[in-house]
Amino acid sequence: MHYYCISFTHKNTDIATREKLSFSNETKKKELFKLIHSNNKILESLILSTCNRVEIFLFLGEIEGINTHVLNSLCLLCGVDKEELNTKADFYENSGAIHHLFSVASSLDSLVIGETQIAGQLKDAYKFALQEQRCGVHLTRAIHYAFKCAASVRNQTEISKNPISVASVAVAKAKELLNLENKTAVVVGAGEMSELACKHLLNAKANVLVLNRDLEHAKNLCLNLGENAKYDSIANLKQALNQYEIFFSATNAPHAIITNDLLEEKDYKRYFFDIAVPRDIDVKANEKNIIYAVDDLEEVVRKNLILREHQAQIAYSIVGTMTNDFFKHLSKLATLPLVKQLRLQADEIAKKELQKAISKGYLKNSDHEEARKLIKQVINVFLHHPSVNLKKLSGTMQNDSVVNAMRYVFDLKNENLEGLNLYKCEFNLENNHEI
């Protein structure tokens, strides 16, 4: 059995290819699940798709042929050449895959190191994989530990102090280019990235106008943002484009929504910040239309990397330790070693008690062998049903909690209560209510 990851990120894949590989559409994600699971070597899967990455995390029965199968599936669904994908993708196996997952969850692999959105995006990807019954106990263990690792990185370093996101970097770039105070910035979309952009714009003393298809959603967002935030329908996008000069766009649209045909000639400069993947803005850049996409913000990102380099080194040390701890943790969760430990513990107690009985005269020394055989038979009978039931649980969501509970109850290797509710998450499966 193997953990495996196929990774396309801002480090190895250009934005044009990442746009084609984007799985913000749930229907498209379901189709990819279906395609990759047509290979019976793939037992579990999880797809993480953000503006900067597409990660396919897998749990496999066998690794051979998996690259070809998954890349073929991506080619079929996304229309990208297989050779192009093969040269761009990073492939991680077992400890490498877990180390990469933990680094992603801890925001060490992000375009902006220390940004806080990735943990929520990973959690959403995990929930969706569970809903689609593509993610089971093995990836659940890994994801749970990834969140644990991310928490350790946050608590033991300052890497997320004054957190930076792609949205904040975009606003920072806007502040370098012009004075935002009392200017109105148009923000297209009302999702998490748009909300972050709005907050940073308001902190820069700008006013914001949120354009969104769902007016109720936009209204609620502006109520939370305060009096300097207004909202309108995206149907009025053309009017806004030709009235204001600063634009941020972060929708989940599968195609560009700000295009040349919507723009009228103006005698002033307009600044466009596209923080969506796929890109929202398809406008010809010139001296009057200045456009920044996600990959154009690297200069600000590099400054962020320099400032956080020392903290990142500490964080990577934590990730390495947690990766090793995870595999030790897996060995403790196996049912067969637990059954063996129970038998060894019972046998050790029986030997001690038998010696006490002989030394106190409860048994004759000549009866020692018969008594030992009887005790062994009693132990076998007593542990038979627990052993059978533990084996039945192997590979299920309940397995780990039961194993941890038994370790605690029988004081095996001094386990504590920490693991008894191992996979508590704000998401419940119909047949596995506590995971």
Side-chain angles (χ1 to χ4, degrees):
M1 299 297 180
H2 308 272
Y3 286 99
Y4 201 72
C5 177
I6 299 176
S7 173
F8 301 91
T9 74
H10 59 94
K11 295 179 179 179
N12 61 23
T13 307
D14 58 89
I15 192 170
T17 305
R18 296 203 313 271
E19 284 179 328
K20 295 176 184 177
L21 294 174
S22 173
F23 287 91
S24 56
N25 183 299
E26 289 189 354
T27 301
K28 188 177 178 183
K29 195 182 290 187
K30 289 178 183 179
E31 289 174 359
L32 182 59
F33 274 136
K34 186 175 180 181
L35 283 172
I36 63 177
H37 278 273
S38 64
N39 186 321
N40 59 17
K41 294 177 184 175
I42 297 177
L43 306 177
E44 300 178 27
S45 65
L46 181 149
I47 302 165
L48 174 64
S49 179
T50 75
C51 60
N52 290 318
R53 68 182 61 253
V54 173
E55 309 274 0
I56 301 173
F57 295 104
L58 304 170
F59 184 73
L60 310 171
E62 185 181 329
I63 290 177
E64 187 178 354
I66 293 302
N67 286 358
T68 299
H69 174 70
V70 174
L71 294 183
N72 283 341
S73 298
L74 287 169
C75 292
L76 184 63
L77 199 55
C78 303
V80 184
D81 181 71
K82 182 184 172 183
E83 276 307 307
E84 181 183 358
L85 293 182
N86 195 44
T87 56
K88 290 181 174 178
D90 287 325
F91 304 97
Y92 302 94
E93 295 180 21
N94 294 317
S95 62
I98 295 300
H99 189 280
H100 179 64
L101 171 62
F102 290 3
S103 298
V104 169
S106 302
S107 186
L108 297 178
D109 196 63
S110 295
L111 177 65
V112 182
I113 287 183
E115 57 93 4
T116 55
Q117 286 72 52
I118 189 64
Q121 292 165 332
L122 181 58
K123 188 172 185 178
D124 289 342
Y126 169 58
K127 289 180 179 180
F128 187 76
L130 281 173
Q131 285 174 331
E132 296 302 307
Q133 298 182 327
R134 302 302 188 180
C135 184
V137 66
H138 302 285
L139 284 181
T140 290
R141 288 168 175 166
I143 294 296
H144 166 78
Y145 232 82
F147 292 142
K148 186 177 178 180
C149 180
S152 294
V153 168
R154 283 196 306 273
N155 294 334
Q156 296 177 44
T157 73
E158 295 185 356
I159 203 163
S160 294
K161 189 176 181 181
N162 301 318
I164 297 175
S165 65
V166 173
S168 70
V169 170
V171 174
K173 189 65 181 177
K175 287 167 69 177
E176 287 181 15
L177 298 170
L178 65 166
N179 180 11
L180 296 178
E181 189 170 352
N182 295 323
K183 290 186 179 292
T184 296
V186 177
V187 178
V188 186
E192 182 180 12
M193 196 69 76
S194 297
E195 181 178 358
L196 286 169
C198 288
K199 288 178 178 178
H200 288 293
L201 286 164
L202 291 169
N203 285 338
K205 298 183 179 179
N207 301 312
V208 297
L209 172 63
V210 177
L211 301 183
N212 198 47
R213 285 187 174 82
D214 186 337
L215 273 181
E216 191 65 25
H217 193 178
K219 178 182 177 181
N220 291 335
L221 173 59
C222 289
L223 286 173
N224 291 330
L225 292 172
E227 61 182 12
N228 291 328
K230 310 297 181 186
Y231 67 94
D232 199 356
S233 170
I234 202 169
N236 297 320
L237 175 61
K238 183 174 181 178
Q239 178 184 333
L241 287 170
N242 296 296
Q243 181 177 350
Y244 301 103
E245 58 180 308
I246 308 166
F247 305 91
F248 291 78
S249 192
T251 75
N252 285 324
H255 49 73
I257 59 171
I258 298 176
T259 52
N260 283 308
D261 59 300
L262 296 177
L263 301 181
E264 299 170 1
E265 287 291 328
K266 297 293 177 182
D267 58 2
Y268 56 83
K269 290 182 178 181
R270 282 176 285 201
Y271 298 85
F272 298 89
F273 297 89
D274 192 343
I275 50 179
V277 175
R279 285 172 286 190
D280 281 342
I281 300 171
D282 185 12
V283 170
K284 187 176 181 181
N286 54 42
E287 60 182 14
K288 291 290 181 66
N289 295 324
I290 294 89
I291 302 162
Y292 290 90
V294 169
D295 288 0
D296 298 319
L297 302 171
E298 288 185 352
E299 184 181 347
V300 182
V301 171
R302 277 196 294 272
K303 292 177 183 177
N304 168 66
L305 287 174
I306 293 168
L307 289 171
R308 300 183 184 215
E309 185 176 351
H310 176 63
Q311 293 299 307
Q313 289 174 354
I314 299 171
Y316 271 116
S317 175
I318 294 169
V319 169
T321 300
M322 293 289 282
T323 300
N324 290 332
D325 287 349
F326 174 71
F327 285 99
K328 291 177 184 176
H329 169 72
L330 290 187
S331 67
K332 289 182 180 180
L333 292 173
T335 56
L336 288 178
L338 175 60
V339 172
K340 184 178 179 180
Q341 280 182 277
L342 284 171
R343 291 186 181 279
L344 288 173
Q345 187 181 73
D347 191 52
E348 189 65 30
I349 292 170
K351 285 179 182 176
K352 289 179 181 178
E353 294 304 313
L354 187 56
Q355 285 303 124
K356 283 183 186 178
I358 292 172
S359 65
K360 291 182 179 181
Y362 300 150
L363 287 173
K364 295 178 183 178
N365 197 49
S366 58
D367 295 329
H368 177 276
E369 186 60 26
E370 286 74 14
R372 190 190 64 79
K373 289 179 182 178
L374 177 61
I375 291 171
K376 185 177 180 180
Q377 181 62 23
V378 170
I379 291 171
N380 287 338
V381 172
F382 176 73
L383 291 180
H384 173 71
H385 287 298
S387 301
V388 170
N389 290 334
L390 279 170
K391 288 174 185 176
K392 286 179 182 177
L393 280 176
S394 182
T396 68
M397 289 290 189
Q398 294 92 340
N399 175 87
D400 298 3
S401 293
V402 171
V403 168
N404 277 319
M406 290 191 69
R407 287 188 177 280
Y408 175 75
V409 169
F410 289 99
D411 195 27
L412 300 174
K413 290 193 176 178
N414 298 317
E415 291 292 325
N416 57 32
L417 282 168
E418 208 173 84
L420 299 188
N421 197 13
L422 197 57
Y423 301 132
K424 188 171 183 181
C425 170
E426 295 164 10
F427 181 77
N428 293 324
L429 286 176
E430 186 176 339
N431 296 319
N432 295 290
H433 296 294
E434 199 65 48
I435 60 172

